[in-house]
mmCIF file of all heavy atoms in Angstrom:
data_model
loop_
_atom_site.group_PDB
_atom_site.id
_atom_site.type_symbol
_atom_site.label_atom_id
_atom_site.label_comp_id
_atom_site.label_asym_id
_atom_site.label_seq_id
_atom_site.Cartn_x
_atom_site.Cartn_y
_atom_site.Cartn_z
ATOM 1 N N GLY X 44 97.237 100.340 95.325
ATOM 2 C CA GLY X 44 96.832 99.963 94.036
ATOM 3 C C GLY X 44 95.871 98.872 93.885
ATOM 4 O O GLY X 44 95.436 98.566 92.689
ATOM 5 N N LYS X 45 95.314 98.400 94.965
ATOM 6 C CA LYS X 45 94.385 97.235 95.004
ATOM 7 C C LYS X 45 93.194 97.672 94.202
ATOM 8 O O LYS X 45 92.686 96.962 93.206
ATOM 9 C CB LYS X 45 94.154 96.664 96.471
ATOM 10 C CG LYS X 45 95.453 96.374 97.172
ATOM 11 C CD LYS X 45 94.994 95.665 98.581
ATOM 12 C CE LYS X 45 94.212 96.512 99.457
ATOM 13 N NZ LYS X 45 94.985 97.812 99.857
ATOM 14 N N THR X 46 92.514 98.711 94.685
ATOM 15 C CA THR X 46 91.222 99.029 94.117
ATOM 16 C C THR X 46 91.371 99.464 92.787
ATOM 17 O O THR X 46 90.488 99.099 91.751
ATOM 18 C CB THR X 46 90.580 100.187 94.966
ATOM 19 O OG1 THR X 46 90.169 99.606 96.193
ATOM 20 C CG2 THR X 46 89.307 100.796 94.280
ATOM 21 N N THR X 47 92.477 100.169 92.339
ATOM 22 C CA THR X 47 92.713 100.578 91.014
ATOM 23 C C THR X 47 92.916 99.374 90.133
ATOM 24 O O THR X 47 92.363 99.341 88.896
ATOM 25 C CB THR X 47 94.021 101.493 90.905
ATOM 26 O OG1 THR X 47 93.843 102.621 91.668
ATOM 27 C CG2 THR X 47 94.380 101.843 89.420
ATOM 28 N N LEU X 48 93.449 98.259 90.575
ATOM 29 C CA LEU X 48 93.603 97.121 89.741
ATOM 30 C C LEU X 48 92.177 96.484 89.423
ATOM 31 O O LEU X 48 91.981 96.237 88.249
ATOM 32 C CB LEU X 48 94.393 95.999 90.428
ATOM 33 C CG LEU X 48 94.644 94.769 89.703
ATOM 34 C CD1 LEU X 48 95.228 94.901 88.393
ATOM 35 C CD2 LEU X 48 95.381 93.706 90.520
ATOM 36 N N LEU X 49 91.339 96.423 90.396
ATOM 37 C CA LEU X 49 89.957 95.972 90.120
ATOM 38 C C LEU X 49 89.166 96.801 89.193
ATOM 39 O O LEU X 49 88.595 96.294 88.248
ATOM 40 C CB LEU X 49 89.212 95.717 91.446
ATOM 41 C CG LEU X 49 89.630 94.666 92.368
ATOM 42 C CD1 LEU X 49 88.471 94.450 93.405
ATOM 43 C CD2 LEU X 49 89.971 93.440 91.714
ATOM 44 N N MET X 50 89.331 97.982 89.317
ATOM 45 C CA MET X 50 88.681 98.957 88.415
ATOM 46 C C MET X 50 89.242 98.990 87.012
ATOM 47 O O MET X 50 88.342 99.022 85.984
ATOM 48 C CB MET X 50 88.756 100.329 88.943
ATOM 49 C CG MET X 50 87.982 100.553 90.314
ATOM 50 S SD MET X 50 88.276 102.307 91.045
ATOM 51 C CE MET X 50 87.475 103.307 89.640
ATOM 52 N N THR X 51 90.549 98.654 86.871
ATOM 53 C CA THR X 51 91.158 98.500 85.564
ATOM 54 C C THR X 51 90.612 97.187 84.919
ATOM 55 O O THR X 51 90.363 97.294 83.641
ATOM 56 C CB THR X 51 92.654 98.575 85.623
ATOM 57 O OG1 THR X 51 93.100 99.756 86.343
ATOM 58 C CG2 THR X 51 93.285 98.534 84.274
ATOM 59 N N ILE X 52 90.511 96.171 85.548
ATOM 60 C CA ILE X 52 89.994 94.935 85.012
ATOM 61 C C ILE X 52 88.623 95.219 84.471
ATOM 62 O O ILE X 52 88.242 94.709 83.330
ATOM 63 C CB ILE X 52 89.925 93.798 86.158
ATOM 64 C CG1 ILE X 52 91.301 93.464 86.548
ATOM 65 C CG2 ILE X 52 89.062 92.661 85.600
ATOM 66 C CD1 ILE X 52 91.330 92.511 87.698
ATOM 67 N N CYS X 53 87.780 96.064 85.171
ATOM 68 C CA CYS X 53 86.485 96.455 84.716
ATOM 69 C C CYS X 53 86.283 97.472 83.733
ATOM 70 O O CYS X 53 85.224 98.009 83.316
ATOM 71 C CB CYS X 53 85.634 96.785 85.970
ATOM 72 S SG CYS X 53 85.365 95.375 87.057
ATOM 73 N N GLY X 54 87.555 98.054 83.356
ATOM 74 C CA GLY X 54 87.531 98.970 82.191
ATOM 75 C C GLY X 54 87.675 100.489 82.548
ATOM 76 O O GLY X 54 87.596 101.351 81.683
ATOM 77 N N ARG X 55 87.587 100.784 83.795
ATOM 78 C CA ARG X 55 87.644 102.141 84.261
ATOM 79 C C ARG X 55 88.648 102.323 85.340
ATOM 80 O O ARG X 55 88.297 102.030 86.564
ATOM 81 C CB ARG X 55 86.352 102.822 84.569
ATOM 82 C CG ARG X 55 85.241 102.797 83.433
ATOM 83 C CD ARG X 55 83.882 103.244 84.055
ATOM 84 N NE ARG X 55 83.890 104.649 84.536
ATOM 85 C CZ ARG X 55 83.615 105.651 83.714
ATOM 86 N NH1 ARG X 55 83.376 105.546 82.491
ATOM 87 N NH2 ARG X 55 83.689 106.823 84.247
ATOM 88 N N PRO X 56 89.792 102.716 85.233
ATOM 89 C CA PRO X 56 90.410 103.274 83.920
ATOM 90 C C PRO X 56 90.827 102.226 82.919
ATOM 91 O O PRO X 56 90.963 101.147 83.340
ATOM 92 C CB PRO X 56 91.653 104.063 84.441
ATOM 93 C CG PRO X 56 92.084 103.279 85.675
ATOM 94 C CD PRO X 56 90.776 102.924 86.265
ATOM 95 N N GLN X 57 91.083 102.542 81.670
ATOM 96 C CA GLN X 57 91.693 101.651 80.839
ATOM 97 C C GLN X 57 93.136 101.571 80.972
ATOM 98 O O GLN X 57 93.788 102.473 81.511
ATOM 99 C CB GLN X 57 91.327 102.124 79.327
ATOM 100 C CG GLN X 57 89.923 101.830 78.873
ATOM 101 C CD GLN X 57 89.674 100.337 78.549
ATOM 102 O OE1 GLN X 57 90.496 99.670 78.136
ATOM 103 N NE2 GLN X 57 88.420 99.983 78.684
ATOM 104 N N PRO X 58 93.647 100.351 80.672
ATOM 105 C CA PRO X 58 95.217 100.150 80.807
ATOM 106 C C PRO X 58 95.959 101.170 79.877
ATOM 107 O O PRO X 58 95.457 101.371 78.797
ATOM 108 C CB PRO X 58 95.344 98.659 80.407
ATOM 109 C CG PRO X 58 94.082 98.008 80.546
ATOM 110 C CD PRO X 58 92.982 99.035 80.280
ATOM 111 N N TRP X 59 97.012 101.463 80.361
ATOM 112 C CA TRP X 59 98.045 102.220 79.582
ATOM 113 C C TRP X 59 98.824 101.356 78.719
ATOM 114 O O TRP X 59 98.936 101.572 77.540
ATOM 115 C CB TRP X 59 98.989 103.080 80.320
ATOM 116 C CG TRP X 59 98.243 104.124 81.200
ATOM 117 C CD1 TRP X 59 96.944 104.497 81.219
ATOM 118 C CD2 TRP X 59 98.920 105.096 82.027
ATOM 119 N NE1 TRP X 59 96.702 105.519 81.997
ATOM 120 C CE2 TRP X 59 97.833 106.020 82.538
ATOM 121 C CE3 TRP X 59 100.155 105.425 82.530
ATOM 122 C CZ2 TRP X 59 98.061 107.026 83.479
ATOM 123 C CZ3 TRP X 59 100.435 106.369 83.408
ATOM 124 C CH2 TRP X 59 99.335 107.197 83.844
ATOM 125 N N THR X 60 99.411 100.295 79.238
ATOM 126 C CA THR X 60 100.040 99.250 78.540
ATOM 127 C C THR X 60 99.662 97.833 79.106
ATOM 128 O O THR X 60 99.140 97.827 80.216
ATOM 129 C CB THR X 60 101.620 99.333 78.654
ATOM 130 O OG1 THR X 60 101.968 99.285 80.019
ATOM 131 C CG2 THR X 60 101.939 100.857 78.036
ATOM 132 N N GLY X 61 100.004 96.759 78.382
ATOM 133 C CA GLY X 61 99.820 95.501 78.916
ATOM 134 C C GLY X 61 98.501 94.931 78.466
ATOM 135 O O GLY X 61 97.838 95.557 77.519
ATOM 136 N N ASP X 62 98.156 93.724 78.951
ATOM 137 C CA ASP X 62 96.938 93.011 78.542
ATOM 138 C C ASP X 62 96.244 92.451 79.652
ATOM 139 O O ASP X 62 96.872 92.073 80.670
ATOM 140 C CB ASP X 62 97.270 92.021 77.482
ATOM 141 C CG ASP X 62 96.139 91.723 76.636
ATOM 142 O OD1 ASP X 62 94.996 92.279 76.702
ATOM 143 O OD2 ASP X 62 96.317 90.763 75.710
ATOM 144 N N ILE X 63 94.946 92.411 79.523
ATOM 145 C CA ILE X 63 94.077 91.619 80.575
ATOM 146 C C ILE X 63 93.332 90.671 79.723
ATOM 147 O O ILE X 63 92.371 90.915 78.873
ATOM 148 C CB ILE X 63 93.055 92.535 81.383
ATOM 149 C CG1 ILE X 63 93.877 93.738 81.995
ATOM 150 C CG2 ILE X 63 92.190 91.841 82.343
ATOM 151 C CD1 ILE X 63 92.932 94.824 82.525
ATOM 152 N N VAL X 64 93.602 89.391 79.906
ATOM 153 C CA VAL X 64 92.920 88.278 79.113
ATOM 154 C C VAL X 64 91.962 87.510 80.149
ATOM 155 O O VAL X 64 92.511 86.899 81.100
ATOM 156 C CB VAL X 64 93.931 87.339 78.513
ATOM 157 C CG1 VAL X 64 93.192 86.282 77.832
ATOM 158 C CG2 VAL X 64 94.808 88.073 77.526
ATOM 159 N N PHE X 65 90.705 87.485 79.840
ATOM 160 C CA PHE X 65 89.728 86.850 80.577
ATOM 161 C C PHE X 65 89.147 85.744 79.840
ATOM 162 O O PHE X 65 88.462 85.956 78.824
ATOM 163 C CB PHE X 65 88.738 87.881 81.130
ATOM 164 C CG PHE X 65 87.509 87.151 81.883
ATOM 165 C CD1 PHE X 65 87.771 86.689 83.208
ATOM 166 C CD2 PHE X 65 86.319 87.076 81.313
ATOM 167 C CE1 PHE X 65 86.743 86.081 83.918
ATOM 168 C CE2 PHE X 65 85.270 86.489 82.090
ATOM 169 C CZ PHE X 65 85.509 85.994 83.341
ATOM 170 N N ASP X 66 89.103 84.529 80.356
ATOM 171 C CA ASP X 66 88.524 83.391 79.642
ATOM 172 C C ASP X 66 88.775 83.375 78.136
ATOM 173 O O ASP X 66 88.122 83.126 77.239
ATOM 174 C CB ASP X 66 86.910 83.529 79.853
ATOM 175 C CG ASP X 66 86.250 82.164 79.577
ATOM 176 O OD1 ASP X 66 86.978 81.147 79.829
ATOM 177 O OD2 ASP X 66 85.034 82.195 79.414
ATOM 178 N N GLY X 67 90.194 83.627 77.872
ATOM 179 C CA GLY X 67 90.589 83.442 76.561
ATOM 180 C C GLY X 67 90.614 84.713 75.582
ATOM 181 O O GLY X 67 91.105 84.702 74.553
ATOM 182 N N ARG X 68 89.904 85.752 76.207
ATOM 183 C CA ARG X 68 89.824 86.980 75.365
ATOM 184 C C ARG X 68 90.153 88.266 75.950
ATOM 185 O O ARG X 68 89.933 88.352 77.245
ATOM 186 C CB ARG X 68 88.357 87.146 74.770
ATOM 187 C CG ARG X 68 87.840 86.032 73.975
ATOM 188 C CD ARG X 68 86.459 86.289 73.423
ATOM 189 N NE ARG X 68 85.460 86.277 74.450
ATOM 190 C CZ ARG X 68 84.139 86.447 74.211
ATOM 191 N NH1 ARG X 68 83.774 86.770 72.970
ATOM 192 N NH2 ARG X 68 83.337 86.339 75.215
ATOM 193 N N SER X 69 90.741 89.150 75.216
ATOM 194 C CA SER X 69 91.282 90.422 75.937
ATOM 195 C C SER X 69 90.093 91.316 76.337
ATOM 196 O O SER X 69 89.052 91.444 75.526
ATOM 197 C CB SER X 69 92.167 91.185 74.995
ATOM 198 O OG SER X 69 92.676 92.385 75.545
ATOM 199 N N LEU X 70 90.301 91.958 77.408
ATOM 200 C CA LEU X 70 89.132 92.838 77.919
ATOM 201 C C LEU X 70 89.674 94.307 77.503
ATOM 202 O O LEU X 70 88.928 95.267 77.724
ATOM 203 C CB LEU X 70 89.050 92.758 79.396
ATOM 204 C CG LEU X 70 88.610 91.445 80.004
ATOM 205 C CD1 LEU X 70 88.406 91.532 81.445
ATOM 206 C CD2 LEU X 70 87.315 90.983 79.231
ATOM 207 N N VAL X 71 90.852 94.580 77.093
ATOM 208 C CA VAL X 71 91.452 95.932 76.876
ATOM 209 C C VAL X 71 90.595 96.561 75.877
ATOM 210 O O VAL X 71 90.317 95.957 74.709
ATOM 211 C CB VAL X 71 92.863 95.909 76.535
ATOM 212 C CG1 VAL X 71 93.442 97.322 76.164
ATOM 213 C CG2 VAL X 71 93.664 95.312 77.649
ATOM 214 N N GLY X 72 90.186 97.875 76.129
ATOM 215 C CA GLY X 72 89.373 98.615 75.168
ATOM 216 C C GLY X 72 87.898 98.354 75.236
ATOM 217 O O GLY X 72 87.054 99.204 74.612
ATOM 218 N N LEU X 73 87.555 97.462 76.032
ATOM 219 C CA LEU X 73 86.005 97.300 76.049
ATOM 220 C C LEU X 73 85.383 98.141 77.148
ATOM 221 O O LEU X 73 86.015 98.361 78.126
ATOM 222 C CB LEU X 73 85.713 95.728 76.450
ATOM 223 C CG LEU X 73 86.134 94.561 75.551
ATOM 224 C CD1 LEU X 73 85.794 93.322 76.136
ATOM 225 C CD2 LEU X 73 85.435 94.890 74.164
ATOM 226 N N PRO X 74 84.160 98.596 76.852
ATOM 227 C CA PRO X 74 83.441 99.335 77.968
ATOM 228 C C PRO X 74 83.038 98.349 79.065
ATOM 229 O O PRO X 74 82.923 97.164 78.856
ATOM 230 C CB PRO X 74 82.319 99.852 77.223
ATOM 231 C CG PRO X 74 82.005 98.946 76.070
ATOM 232 C CD PRO X 74 83.351 98.500 75.671
ATOM 233 N N THR X 75 82.734 99.056 80.205
ATOM 234 C CA THR X 75 82.480 98.121 81.376
ATOM 235 C C THR X 75 81.336 97.207 81.216
ATOM 236 O O THR X 75 81.248 96.055 81.661
ATOM 237 C CB THR X 75 82.190 99.012 82.646
ATOM 238 O OG1 THR X 75 83.393 99.975 82.885
ATOM 239 C CG2 THR X 75 81.877 98.291 83.878
ATOM 240 N N PHE X 76 80.225 97.668 80.497
ATOM 241 C CA PHE X 76 79.031 96.731 80.409
ATOM 242 C C PHE X 76 79.365 95.534 79.629
ATOM 243 O O PHE X 76 78.828 94.470 79.915
ATOM 244 C CB PHE X 76 77.930 97.452 79.869
ATOM 245 C CG PHE X 76 78.008 97.798 78.350
ATOM 246 C CD1 PHE X 76 77.334 96.980 77.492
ATOM 247 C CD2 PHE X 76 78.619 98.977 77.939
ATOM 248 C CE1 PHE X 76 77.358 97.100 76.075
ATOM 249 C CE2 PHE X 76 78.639 99.218 76.536
ATOM 250 C CZ PHE X 76 78.120 98.367 75.603
ATOM 251 N N GLN X 77 80.243 95.582 78.615
ATOM 252 C CA GLN X 77 80.755 94.513 77.869
ATOM 253 C C GLN X 77 81.503 93.462 78.751
ATOM 254 O O GLN X 77 81.442 92.305 78.549
ATOM 255 C CB GLN X 77 81.315 94.874 76.625
ATOM 256 C CG GLN X 77 80.388 95.416 75.562
ATOM 257 C CD GLN X 77 81.042 95.726 74.115
ATOM 258 O OE1 GLN X 77 82.127 95.211 74.044
ATOM 259 N NE2 GLN X 77 80.535 96.417 73.406
ATOM 260 N N ILE X 78 82.365 94.086 79.447
ATOM 261 C CA ILE X 78 83.197 93.300 80.438
ATOM 262 C C ILE X 78 82.288 92.424 81.349
ATOM 263 O O ILE X 78 82.515 91.248 81.684
ATOM 264 C CB ILE X 78 84.187 94.133 81.253
ATOM 265 C CG1 ILE X 78 85.273 94.694 80.228
ATOM 266 C CG2 ILE X 78 84.886 93.251 82.320
ATOM 267 C CD1 ILE X 78 86.180 95.702 80.788
ATOM 268 N N ALA X 79 81.195 93.131 81.870
ATOM 269 C CA ALA X 79 80.258 92.442 82.916
ATOM 270 C C ALA X 79 79.553 91.313 82.104
ATOM 271 O O ALA X 79 79.269 90.234 82.561
ATOM 272 C CB ALA X 79 79.211 93.504 83.265
ATOM 273 N N ARG X 80 79.123 91.655 80.858
ATOM 274 C CA ARG X 80 78.432 90.503 80.075
ATOM 275 C C ARG X 80 79.412 89.299 79.780
ATOM 276 O O ARG X 80 78.730 88.277 79.561
ATOM 277 C CB ARG X 80 77.922 91.126 78.686
ATOM 278 C CG ARG X 80 76.796 92.031 78.830
ATOM 279 C CD ARG X 80 76.309 92.737 77.531
ATOM 280 N NE ARG X 80 75.135 93.650 77.686
ATOM 281 C CZ ARG X 80 74.658 94.390 76.774
ATOM 282 N NH1 ARG X 80 75.248 94.334 75.573
ATOM 283 N NH2 ARG X 80 73.541 95.033 76.931
ATOM 284 N N ARG X 81 80.647 89.545 79.781
ATOM 285 C CA ARG X 81 81.524 88.295 79.531
ATOM 286 C C ARG X 81 81.680 87.543 80.769
ATOM 287 O O ARG X 81 82.223 86.347 80.824
ATOM 288 C CB ARG X 81 82.866 88.923 79.031
ATOM 289 C CG ARG X 81 82.893 89.330 77.735
ATOM 290 C CD ARG X 81 84.211 89.537 77.100
ATOM 291 N NE ARG X 81 84.255 89.992 75.754
ATOM 292 C CZ ARG X 81 85.245 90.133 74.999
ATOM 293 N NH1 ARG X 81 86.447 89.853 75.432
ATOM 294 N NH2 ARG X 81 85.134 90.533 73.644
ATOM 295 N N GLY X 82 81.118 88.028 81.951
ATOM 296 C CA GLY X 82 81.076 87.184 83.144
ATOM 297 C C GLY X 82 81.945 87.694 84.312
ATOM 298 O O GLY X 82 82.231 86.956 85.184
ATOM 299 N N VAL X 83 82.255 88.957 84.280
ATOM 300 C CA VAL X 83 83.038 89.612 85.356
ATOM 301 C C VAL X 83 82.108 90.386 86.286
ATOM 302 O O VAL X 83 81.464 91.337 85.744
ATOM 303 C CB VAL X 83 84.233 90.384 84.821
ATOM 304 C CG1 VAL X 83 84.936 91.098 86.212
ATOM 305 C CG2 VAL X 83 85.139 89.766 84.052
ATOM 306 N N ALA X 84 81.990 90.071 87.599
ATOM 307 C CA ALA X 84 81.076 90.835 88.461
ATOM 308 C C ALA X 84 81.940 91.576 89.439
ATOM 309 O O ALA X 84 82.833 90.864 90.103
ATOM 310 C CB ALA X 84 80.108 89.911 89.098
ATOM 311 N N HIS X 85 81.748 92.772 89.827
ATOM 312 C CA HIS X 85 82.511 93.524 90.729
ATOM 313 C C HIS X 85 81.721 93.899 91.868
ATOM 314 O O HIS X 85 80.636 94.752 91.729
ATOM 315 C CB HIS X 85 83.001 94.783 89.987
ATOM 316 C CG HIS X 85 83.876 95.660 90.755
ATOM 317 N ND1 HIS X 85 84.105 97.086 90.494
ATOM 318 C CD2 HIS X 85 84.675 95.403 91.828
ATOM 319 C CE1 HIS X 85 84.928 97.524 91.364
ATOM 320 N NE2 HIS X 85 85.242 96.598 92.226
ATOM 321 N N VAL X 86 82.099 93.504 93.104
ATOM 322 C CA VAL X 86 81.448 94.190 94.258
ATOM 323 C C VAL X 86 82.387 95.137 94.843
ATOM 324 O O VAL X 86 83.431 94.793 95.517
ATOM 325 C CB VAL X 86 81.241 92.888 95.396
ATOM 326 C CG1 VAL X 86 80.546 93.494 96.594
ATOM 327 C CG2 VAL X 86 80.319 91.788 94.840
ATOM 328 N N PRO X 87 82.128 96.403 94.806
ATOM 329 C CA PRO X 87 83.004 97.487 95.055
ATOM 330 C C PRO X 87 83.264 97.783 96.580
ATOM 331 O O PRO X 87 82.284 97.367 97.292
ATOM 332 C CB PRO X 87 82.437 98.666 94.301
ATOM 333 C CG PRO X 87 81.049 98.484 94.313
ATOM 334 C CD PRO X 87 80.823 96.993 94.120
ATOM 335 N N GLU X 88 84.209 98.408 96.874
ATOM 336 C CA GLU X 88 84.341 98.927 98.215
ATOM 337 C C GLU X 88 83.274 99.858 98.592
ATOM 338 O O GLU X 88 82.911 100.661 97.781
ATOM 339 C CB GLU X 88 85.731 99.577 98.380
ATOM 340 C CG GLU X 88 86.018 100.092 99.762
ATOM 341 C CD GLU X 88 87.287 100.762 99.973
ATOM 342 O OE1 GLU X 88 88.138 100.717 98.940
ATOM 343 O OE2 GLU X 88 87.612 101.416 100.933
ATOM 344 N N GLY X 89 82.604 99.651 99.750
ATOM 345 C CA GLY X 89 81.538 100.453 100.142
ATOM 346 C C GLY X 89 80.231 99.981 99.660
ATOM 347 O O GLY X 89 79.207 100.680 99.894
ATOM 348 N N ARG X 90 80.189 98.943 98.929
ATOM 349 C CA ARG X 90 79.004 98.180 98.580
ATOM 350 C C ARG X 90 78.282 98.742 97.312
ATOM 351 O O ARG X 90 77.900 98.231 96.437
ATOM 352 C CB ARG X 90 78.083 97.841 99.719
ATOM 353 C CG ARG X 90 78.788 97.162 100.842
ATOM 354 C CD ARG X 90 77.966 97.042 102.149
ATOM 355 N NE ARG X 90 77.981 98.204 102.968
ATOM 356 C CZ ARG X 90 78.981 98.417 103.878
ATOM 357 N NH1 ARG X 90 79.963 97.558 103.994
ATOM 358 N NH2 ARG X 90 78.882 99.587 104.682
ATOM 359 N N HIS X 91 77.846 100.086 97.497
ATOM 360 C CA HIS X 91 77.267 100.903 96.406
ATOM 361 C C HIS X 91 75.940 100.070 95.936
ATOM 362 O O HIS X 91 75.651 99.915 94.740
ATOM 363 C CB HIS X 91 78.156 101.024 95.284
ATOM 364 C CG HIS X 91 79.253 101.989 95.542
ATOM 365 N ND1 HIS X 91 79.151 103.335 95.592
ATOM 366 C CD2 HIS X 91 80.607 101.691 95.814
ATOM 367 C CE1 HIS X 91 80.326 103.891 95.927
ATOM 368 N NE2 HIS X 91 81.205 102.977 96.139
#
């Protein structure tokens, strides 16, 4: 579940339950581009 966790932090997939709070604000429900704008950068497996 390691990769799934990183992808869920980035909004794809969205959480079913629970919360992800980054720098004081929830990320749940936000699209990936807004999560990136808040300061989260993802270097995926396989580099892409």
